[in-house]
Amino acid sequence: MEMVKLHNNLTSERNKLQMSYMNLSEEREQLQMSFSNLSEEQDQLQKRFEDITNERNELEKRLLALRSYGWIYFSSSLYYISSSKKSWQQSRADCLQKGADLVIINSHEEQEFIQTFKKLIWIGLTDMESEGKWKWVDGTPLTTSYWDRNEPNGVPDRDEDCAEIKKYDSEQSWNDESCGLERFWICEKLLFQ
Ligand code: 2F8
Ligand code: CA
């Protein structure tokens, strides 16, 4: 009798273990399926990420090309030459809005380059803050200058607080002028700063 009971118990135990094994197998299959779905999804997301990255790089290149349109490269800067005339302040506002500023001339070569446009051009030089103290738009004081003969002559009889390029045949070509007069202008954007 004891033997029969033992046998029954063992049979029952075996059945439970078999059931448990079947359940675990089923669960493992589901987990495998779920893992393979997630792997597939991960591959798709990776591919999508690469596509979007390529698209973004392409758009960045196009944006750079669009922003550079109409700008001329010279010695580590980009220059924009206006095709209309404005007051000095309005000219400066246009440059600032373009992420640039009125041109600052700090070499003999740059002075020569600006003269090649042969127009009356506002440059980024003014003494409007303090009469007679000429400063570039970045706040630096004027050191090397290219004033025309007898310029600047804005005081005492005239109020001429902004500098323009007036001549093309001589390097000494700057004139101080009334800021409200309308002139062409040149914006400069430094490339590496
Ligand atoms: O001779 C230079 C002198 O020429 C003009 O005045 C007569 C300029 N002013 C105007 O054009 C308004 C001066 O800025 C310049 O110094
Ligand atoms: Ca003058």
Side-chain angles (χ1 to χ4, degrees):
M1 190 55 191
E2 277 309 305
M3 279 295 282
V4 171
K5 199 173 170 200
L6 181 63
H7 174 78
N8 285 346
N9 281 350
L10 283 172
T11 305
S12 158
E13 195 60 32
R14 188 199 61 191
N15 288 345
K16 275 191 217 156
L17 283 169
Q18 264 179 345
M19 187 70 85
S20 166
Y21 173 77
M22 272 167 59
N23 286 343
L24 282 171
S25 295
E26 203 176 309
E27 208 174 317
R28 190 193 60 183
E29 245 172 67
Q30 279 168 359
L31 282 170
Q32 263 175 347
M33 182 86 80
S34 164
F35 174 76
S36 116
N37 284 344
L38 282 172
S39 292
E40 205 175 307
E41 209 174 314
Q42 190 199 30
D43 288 349
Q44 282 167 359
L45 283 172
Q46 181 66 30
K47 171 88 176 56
R48 177 116 184 80
F49 176 75
E50 280 162 18
D51 286 351
I52 288 174
T53 303
N54 288 340
E55 207 175 317
R56 188 199 60 189
N57 291 344
E58 197 51 44
L59 285 171
E60 269 174 0
K61 274 192 229 159
R62 280 195 221 168
L63 187 64
L64 196 67
L66 271 176
R67 283 199 180 135
S68 310
Y69 183 78
W71 292 73
I72 299 169
Y73 174 81
F74 176 78
S75 183
S76 303
S77 284
L78 287 175
Y79 296 86
Y80 172 86
I81 322 304
S82 78
S83 51
S84 64
K85 296 178 186 177
K86 286 183 192 290
S87 70
W88 188 90
Q89 297 280 26
Q90 285 176 328
S91 301
R92 183 164 191 221
D94 177 75
C95 292
L96 292 174
Q97 187 265 325
K98 288 175 161 62
D101 208 335
L102 282 172
V103 62
I104 292 173
I105 300 174
N106 33 32
S107 73
H108 156 79
E109 289 75 19
E110 198 174 15
Q111 162 70 7
E112 218 170 53
F113 169 69
I114 300 303
Q115 282 185 287
T116 59
F117 299 102
K118 298 200 180 337
K119 285 177 177 175
L120 290 176
I121 292 165
W122 285 132
I123 60 174
L125 183 66
T126 175
D127 74 340
M128 63 176 67
E129 261 179 37
S130 175
E131 187 59 48
K133 277 194 187 160
W134 289 90
K135 270 201 316 190
W136 293 108
V137 284
D138 67 355
T140 53
L142 177 63
T143 48
T144 308
S145 61
Y146 301 94
W147 293 112
D148 190 8
R149 205 152 48 93
N150 301 324
E151 304 294 347
N153 61 356
V155 278
D157 51 332
R158 279 183 289 241
D159 187 27
E160 300 185 332
D161 291 346
C162 294
E164 66 175 358
I165 301 274
K166 197 174 182 180
K167 289 189 171 169
Y168 327 110
D169 49 359
S170 154
E171 191 172 59
Q172 308 311 118
S173 63
W174 299 354
N175 172 41
D176 62 339
E177 194 54 278
S178 296
C179 303
L181 293 184
E182 297 199 326
R183 298 287 186 255
F184 293 100
W185 70 94
I186 295 190
C187 307
E188 179 182 12
K189 205 187 287 195
L190 299 182
L191 278 178
F192 311 104
Q193 61 167 6

